[in-house]
Amino acid sequence: MRNPVTDTTTGYAALDPCVHCGFCLPACPTYLATGDENDSPRGRIVLMRALERGDIEPWDRSLRDHLDRCLGCRGCEPSCPSGVGYGAGLEEARTRLYQVNGVSWATRLGLSIFNHRLAWRVLFGAARLFRTTRFPDLLAGRGRLGFPMGMLSATASRNGTRQRSRHVAKRMSPTSRGTVALFTGCVMDTLFRHVNQATKRTLEVNGFEVVETVGQSCCGAPLLHAGDRTRACTLLDQAVRVFNGAEAIVVNSAGCGATLKEAGSLLGTPAASEFAHRTRDVLELLAEAGPVVGAAVPIEIAYDPPCHLQHAQGIHRQVLDVLDTIPELRVRTLPGAEKCCGSAGVFNLQHPELAQEILGPKLAAVASASPALSAVVTGNPGCLMQIGAGLKAVGLPIEVLHPVQLLDLSYREAGFYD
Ligand code: SF4
Ligand code: SF4
C-alpha cells in the first residue's frame, strides 16, 4: 500500500506498480455510480498509459470525458495493494490535456478568479454579503438553483462559535509551543472566516502564538486539479516566498494542505521542499501537541474525513484523537465515510448530477443515524458546502462543522475566552 507521506514518486511513473488486479474498483465512487470500467481507477490507468504512449490522442473525446469524471479523491490509493500513486499519474495526464485542449471558457473564467486575489475577495465577499440576506437559506434545496444556494447557506456560522472575544485566558494555557503562521486561503478567508478565527483561538489556547502573514494568495489547488500546473505553481511559489521564515505553516483546509505539501515536488526547489516540510494541518499539529482539554460538549457527531486529508495527507487517526479529548462528545464514523462526497474542487459545479449521485449514499447513512446526530464534521470547505447542501436538499436539520469549531466551542464553554 502506498504511503502518501513518504512516497513522492511523480508523474506517470507512479502508475508503474499497477498489475490490473481491480481491488481498487469498489473504492471508486464514480465507478460505483456509472458501472463503467473506464470510470474506474484501473480503466483510467489504462487510458492514461495509452495517452502517455501516444496510442490515444489527447483530444480524444472519450478519453477526456472519463478523466474529467475522475474526482481526484485518491480513494483508490489506500485500497491498492501494489502502492500505485494514482493521484500523481492523474495530475500528469490532466496537465497534458490542459496543455493541448485548454478548458471551456466558463471553467477558464471560474479558474481565473482564484488567480487574482482582488477577484476572489470581491466575488466571495459579495457571496458572503448575499448570505446575510437569508435568501440562500430560503432557496436551499434541490436542483440547479437550490443546491448552489444550499452550498452558500452551509458556509454560515450557526452554532454560535463566532467569537465573543479575542482574548485568551493565559492562566489556563500551557507553556509556549512556538510560533505558527496560519494559511488563510481564499474560500476560508472569506466564506469560512469564522473557522479561521476559531482555528486561531484554539491554537492560542494550546500555547501557539499565531502570527499574521501578509501577501497571502490562493494555494492554486483549483488550477492544479484542472491541469493548469503553470499558474498553480506561480501561486505556490508566492506562498513559499511569503511564508519564508515562519516556524510552521498551519492549514485548516484539507485541499489547500494537500497542495501546499506538494510544493517540493511541483516546484523542485530546496525552499519549496522545506516549506512543504513545515506545513501542517491544524488537527495534525494539535494531535502531536496533545490538545488542552476544555468543557463538555454532550452531543453526537459523525466525522466525515475529507479525501485530501485522509488519502492525500494520510491524516485520519489524529483528527479522531483530537475529537476524543472533548469531554462527552460522542463521535461516530458512518458507513461509506471514507468515500468522496462529490465536492472535489469544482467537480460538483462541472458535473452536478453525478456529484449529487455520489453524495447520495452518504446522506442515506446520515439519515439512518438521525435524529441522534447533531452535526456532520469535516475539515475541508468544499466538503462542508457539498454535505451541507445535501442535508438541506433532503430536509435533514443537521449542522455541518469543521472539527476546530467543536474544540473552540469546548474551550469557550470552559471559560478560555473572556
Ligand atoms: S491501481 Fe492497484 S488495485 Fe487498482 S488495478 Fe492497479 S494494482 Fe490493482
Ligand atoms: S481518484 Fe477517486 S474518482 Fe478517481 S479513480 Fe480514484 S477513487 Fe475513482
Side-chain angles (χ1 to χ4, degrees):
M1 192 186 295
R2 178 182 169 89
N3 182 330
V5 178
T6 57
D7 193 335
T8 53
T9 314
T10 57
Y12 293 125
L15 305 177
D16 285 349
C18 182
V19 293
H20 307 289
C21 63
F23 285 167
C24 52
L25 268 60
C28 177
T30 56
Y31 174 68
L32 295 178
T34 70
D36 184 340
E37 168 85 18
N38 291 307
D39 287 327
S40 77
R42 181 171 65 179
R44 291 187 178 118
I45 287 170
V46 171
L47 292 172
M48 287 191 268
R49 302 250 75 160
L51 173 69
E52 180 193 11
R53 288 191 304 271
D55 293 347
I56 301 181
E57 300 296 351
W59 48 85
D60 182 278
R61 189 70 254 170
S62 175
L63 168 90
R64 291 167 63 190
D65 284 348
H66 292 300
L67 292 188
D68 262 7
R69 276 205 287 270
C70 177
L71 294 151
C73 66
R74 296 168 64 172
C76 42
E77 289 187 5
S79 66
C80 172
S82 305
V84 169
Y86 178 90
L90 180 71
E91 221 166 81
E92 190 70 26
R94 282 194 167 158
T95 301
R96 173 90 174 114
L97 295 186
Y98 183 88
Q99 285 166 346
V100 175
N101 304 303
V103 287
S104 69
W105 69 266
T107 304
R108 192 162 55 245
L109 183 68
L111 291 176
S112 68
I113 288 161
F114 294 99
N115 211 28
H116 302 285
R117 181 180 164 85
L118 183 63
W120 57 255
R121 284 191 78 87
V122 168
L123 183 76
F124 297 146
R128 201 173 57 185
L129 210 60
F130 179 53
R131 190 177 70 191
T132 62
T133 66
R134 315 294 296 177
F135 275 116
D137 291 343
L138 295 171
L139 297 172
R142 297 176 188 270
R144 289 195 174 266
L145 177 68
F147 203 85
M149 287 296 118
M151 288 172 68
L152 181 56
S153 170
T155 65
S157 170
R158 295 183 203 285
N159 72 338
T161 58
R162 215 190 305 257
Q163 83 283 8
R164 289 199 304 220
S165 167
R166 299 287 310 124
H167 300 293
V168 170
K170 297 287 184 194
R171 62 190 164 77
M172 297 178 76
S173 300
T175 52
S176 174
R177 283 167 162 157
T179 304
V180 297
L182 179 65
F183 180 81
T184 49
C186 52
V187 176
M188 294 304 295
D189 191 33
T190 47
L191 294 170
F192 288 101
R193 188 167 290 171
H194 52 285
V195 176
N196 275 358
Q197 289 166 341
T199 301
K200 188 169 185 289
R201 288 192 295 273
T202 53
L203 286 167
E204 287 172 346
V205 167
N206 281 280
F208 294 99
E209 185 190 347
V210 184
V211 293
E212 301 284 333
T213 305
V214 293
Q216 295 195 43
S217 58
C218 165
C219 65
L223 297 153
L224 186 65
H225 296 158
D228 187 352
R229 194 181 297 195
T230 307
R231 286 199 290 175
C233 284
T234 303
L235 290 174
L236 262 181
D237 187 51
Q238 189 176 337
V240 172
R241 280 186 282 110
V242 301
F243 285 102
N244 182 27
E247 271 179 45
I249 301 108
V250 180
V251 198
N252 56 13
S253 153
C256 305
T259 302
L260 295 176
K261 287 181 178 182
E262 261 194 84
S265 57
L266 286 167
L267 299 177
T269 62
S273 300
E274 203 251 335
F275 164 86
H277 188 69
R278 283 184 286 129
T279 301
R280 314 299 280 259
D281 184 85
V282 61
L283 279 307
E284 181 185 14
L285 187 72
L286 288 173
E288 278 170 13
V292 167
V293 177
V297 180
I299 60 171
E300 185 168 310
I301 59 118
Y303 174 56
D304 198 82
C307 299
H308 282 91
L309 197 61
Q310 183 176 21
H311 306 312
Q313 299 183 58
I315 297 170
H316 182 60
R317 186 67 248 169
Q318 297 92 323
V319 184
L320 296 174
D321 286 347
V322 171
L323 292 174
D324 273 352
T325 64
I326 301 175
E328 296 181 38
L329 181 72
R330 298 183 301 284
V331 183
R332 296 185 60 177
T333 306
L334 298 178
E338 77 289 353
K339 288 203 169 58
C340 182
C341 63
S343 165
V346 291
F347 183 93
N348 53 356
L349 302 178
Q350 292 173 314
H351 308 275
E353 282 88 15
L354 183 56
Q356 287 173 43
E357 195 178 334
I358 288 166
L359 178 63
K362 210 174 274 292
L363 296 178
V366 174
S368 68
S370 70
L373 277 189
S374 295
V376 177
V377 172
T378 187
N380 190 55
C383 311
L384 286 162
M385 293 166 82
Q386 172 82 350
I387 297 171
L391 292 172
K392 286 176 194 304
V394 297
L396 282 171
I398 295 174
E399 282 190 286
V400 283
L401 297 171
H402 191 289
V404 294
Q405 287 181 278
L406 286 172
L407 210 52
D408 185 54
L409 184 62
S410 170
Y411 290 161
R412 193 177 51 177
E413 293 301 315
F416 281 88
Y417 312 132
D418 291 345

